[in-house]
Amino acid sequence: MYIFLGLPPTDPEGNVVEDEFGKGFSIRRSVATFKIKKQEMEEPSRKKLLPEPLQPPFVQPPYTLVMEITGILVKPEWTIKNGWRFKKRPGVDYFLQAVGPPLFETVVYTSETGMNAVPVIHSLDQQGHVMYKLYRDATWYDGKDHVKDLSYLNRDLNKVIMIDCKSKSVKLQRNNAFVLKEWDGDENDTALFDLASFLQTLAHSKIEDVRTVLEYYMQFDDPIAKFRENQLLLQEEQERQRQEQEKPKQKSPFDFAKSFRKR
């Protein structure tokens, strides 16, 4: 490899081109080229992973939702007959429709390679709710994990929510992350319905900094269960207030006296 990396560059016709290391093989060129290749593999492929926000007359959704697909929307399974396949999680179609524009700018940001992820995303999102797709080349590789760096998104982090099932993948902006348990393949799972309800509630509340909400829920082992509990308490309180408003107002003795004097 060092010999190959140390060879001088050539033009389209195959002629050797002289660079700062000369025309022949160079150990220094080999080292420099290796560092460049290593950097390309470890760092995101570009400084701005998303284009500039949409400008009027187009409508830019107020929040950006970044989500992993593996463990969140699908589960990889392997069989001798079919090899590797991705099992679709219950509620995927509803979830993508519910959190798509205009509430959220939806972005798939996956640790999968483009070769693996493209057909999966195409199969899941045939209606085109996902606005952008980012693959493994858009992550940092720290030697063990592919880490997602939201600072490369070209978006205000106050308005960015990242859905994942691996804490290590979101460690750079942990306060922006909503980490769920990895889907185990249960056909009766309802987490995506609850997650859609949570995200819709957050968006309709017009939260200025989503990190304050995410920090609160991520202190619990099951944030979705805590959200369901809070929603139930809210519904009970709203029902109590409604019943209070519908109660007939009881007249006091003073009211009766006033009406008697009027007669």
Side-chain angles (χ1 to χ4, degrees), residues 204-248:
H204 287 304
S205 300
K206 299 181 180 180
I207 302 297
E208 286 298 320
D209 189 343
V210 299
R211 292 173 291 190
T212 58
V213 178
L214 298 178
E215 282 182 281
Y216 167 76
Y217 278 102
M218 288 315 302
Q219 66 182 309
F220 303 102
D221 293 334
D222 191 341
I224 290 294
K226 185 62 179 177
F227 170 72
R228 285 198 298 263
E229 178 185 334
N230 287 345
Q231 287 296 98
L232 181 60
L233 292 174
L234 176 62
Q235 291 171 6
E236 291 175 351
E237 176 61 20
Q238 290 174 339
E239 177 63 19
R240 186 191 66 79
Q241 292 179 1
R242 184 187 66 80
Q243 291 177 357
E244 286 292 331
Q245 292 174 356
E246 292 179 353
K247 280 183 180 180

Side-chain angles (χ1 to χ4, degrees), residues 72-117:
I72 298 296
L73 303 183
V74 297
K75 176 180 174 58
E77 292 184 332
W78 188 87
T79 62
I80 295 177
K81 180 179 179 181
N82 299 314
W84 282 106
R85 302 185 71 179
F86 288 87
K87 183 178 180 179
K88 184 177 178 179
R89 190 172 191 171
V92 168
D93 295 332
Y94 170 80
F95 176 77
L96 292 178
Q97 184 275 329
V99 302
L103 290 182
F104 289 92
E105 175 187 45
T106 48
V107 181
V108 164
Y109 194 178
T110 177
S111 298
E112 301 286 346
T113 63
M115 182 176 65
N116 291 336

Side-chain angles (χ1 to χ4, degrees), residues 171-218:
K171 62 184 181 182
L172 295 180
Q173 289 89 19
R174 191 65 181 79
N175 292 343
N176 286 90
F178 200 70
V179 181
L180 304 178
K181 293 180 181 178
E182 184 175 354
W183 179 46
D184 59 5
D186 180 13
E187 293 287 353
N188 297 316
D189 178 82
T190 61
L192 289 183
F193 295 98
D194 295 323
L195 180 59
S197 179
F198 168 78
L199 293 170
Q200 287 178 325
T201 301
L202 186 149
H204 287 304
S205 300
K206 299 181 180 180
I207 302 297
E208 286 298 320
D209 189 343
V210 299
R211 292 173 291 190
T212 58
V213 178
L214 298 178
E215 282 182 281
Y216 167 76
Y217 278 102
M218 288 315 302

